[in-house]
Amino acid sequence: MSTPSPHTAAAAHTLAQLMGAILKGGIRVVDLTAPLEPATPTIQLPPQFRPSKPFSLEEISRYDSRGPAWYWNNFACGEHTGTHFDAPVHWVTGKDYPNNATHNIPVERFIGPACVIDVARQTTEDPDFLLTQAVVEDWERRHGRIPAHAWVLVRTDWSKRSGAKAMLNIGPDGPHSPGFHPQCVPFLARERDILGVGVETIGTDAGQAAGFEPMFPCHTIMHGSNKFGLASLMNLDQLPPTGALVIAPPLKIVNGSGSPLRVLALVPV
Ligand code: MN
């Protein structure tokens, strides 16, 4: 092998320092993923639309006559089940971008700095709370401008609700859960050029967003801007407002619109 360039040597040193800090302290790895099991809540669409399968496991063998030395399962679920990634191709507004599906999005776009906006107090008082541009700008006055290529994660503490009923929070007039104000989404997608948003609810749009203008503004505008979504995150209360790095690569499903995934945050301690 030829002698590495000074640039490569510096990068190798950076990676060695990173690994050292993960193993010996200095950087904590926080799992932002909810457990994936049959009880995992899945989005409920109006009856005229085709529903998504909930998560299920079917045992193939477990060290028995079906396979004496091995345990494994088949599993089934919709792509948008549990902690999951929304690719731009998920929405009609994002369908024509190149490299817009789970198998062909450039992989460096799965890793970005996290800007964590804490609106847990507001969503406790109002389950229909919508994140506005004013709230984001107030956050920026305290923590600095959201950089391009950032994951914007919205802490609502919604993931602390237990069970599908409390998570979905469906009333006579449909689901009630927090989300984004329609005018906030173009601000984040276009004026801040983020990677995408991450939320604790089962989808990136508010429970009542079917009635917004535009309908489902986060899906419509975020994917229409070639950006991503992360839903059903947890442990956002363990992240600082800035300084964490989020790693969120979906499964490499060919032409996938999204997938369940493991989301990790590297957090300075
Ligand atoms: Mn989704």
Side-chain angles (χ1 to χ4, degrees):
M1 254 178 76
S2 59
T3 311
S5 74
H7 181 79
T8 306
H13 180 67
T14 301
L15 284 179
Q17 280 190 318
L18 172 66
M19 199 63 240
I22 290 170
L23 295 177
K24 293 175 199 141
I27 294 174
R28 193 161 60 99
V29 183
V30 176
D31 190 355
L32 305 185
T33 320
L36 187 56
E37 57 188 335
T40 297
T42 47
I43 195 161
Q44 305 292 308
L45 295 180
Q48 66 266 35
F49 300 119
R50 193 165 177 208
S52 172
K53 273 187 192 174
F55 181 81
S56 65
L57 270 187
E58 177 205 30
E59 195 172 274
I60 303 170
S61 71
R62 192 160 192 158
Y63 332 119
D64 52 25
S65 61
R66 299 170 299 172
W70 50 94
Y71 166 58
W72 55 349
N73 303 295
N74 292 315
F75 70 87
C77 66
E79 290 172 329
H80 299 259
T81 305
T83 302
H84 72 272
F85 182 97
D86 289 356
V89 74
H90 178 42
W91 219 250
V92 64
T93 49
K95 73 183 175 60
D96 294 326
Y97 283 106
N99 304 322
N100 62 355
T102 44
H103 73 292
N104 59 14
I105 293 167
V107 291
E108 62 275 9
R109 297 189 70 206
F110 300 139
I111 304 173
C115 295
V116 183
I117 301 176
D118 180 359
V119 292
R121 182 184 52 79
Q122 293 94 315
T123 51
T124 302
E125 289 165 6
D126 175 14
D128 292 314
F129 176 80
L130 302 179
L131 185 71
T132 61
Q133 182 176 333
V135 172
V136 175
E137 287 176 333
D138 179 57
W139 182 95
E140 287 189 322
R141 275 189 284 279
R142 285 176 287 130
H143 303 291
R145 184 183 165 104
I146 295 169
H149 201 95
W151 284 111
V152 170
L153 307 181
V154 185
R155 176 186 165 192
T156 57
D157 286 350
W158 206 260
S159 61
K160 294 178 182 176
R161 292 178 166 232
S162 61
K165 190 167 184 287
M167 284 287 287
L168 298 171
N169 199 32
I170 296 173
D173 55 347
H176 291 272
S177 55
F180 294 85
H181 190 280
Q183 271 138 27
C184 184
V185 188
F187 171 73
L188 291 171
R190 296 166 194 162
E191 294 184 43
R192 292 295 179 267
D193 194 22
I194 64 172
L195 288 176
V197 294
V199 301
E200 296 182 46
T201 46
I202 58 160
T204 55
D205 267 300
Q208 291 285 300
F212 292 1
E213 180 53 47
M215 171 180 75
F216 301 112
C218 195
H219 286 80
T220 301
I221 301 164
M222 212 37 85
H223 302 323
S225 306
N226 200 20
K227 310 298 187 187
F228 312 140
L230 297 170
S232 291
L233 298 176
M234 61 185 294
N235 295 330
L236 296 185
D237 57 346
Q238 296 182 32
L239 304 188
T242 64
L245 190 74
V246 163
I247 305 169
L251 296 177
K252 201 169 180 172
I253 299 170
V254 174
N255 295 321
S257 76
S259 91
L261 81 170
R262 197 79 181 244
V263 182
L264 300 180
L266 305 184
V267 180
V269 288

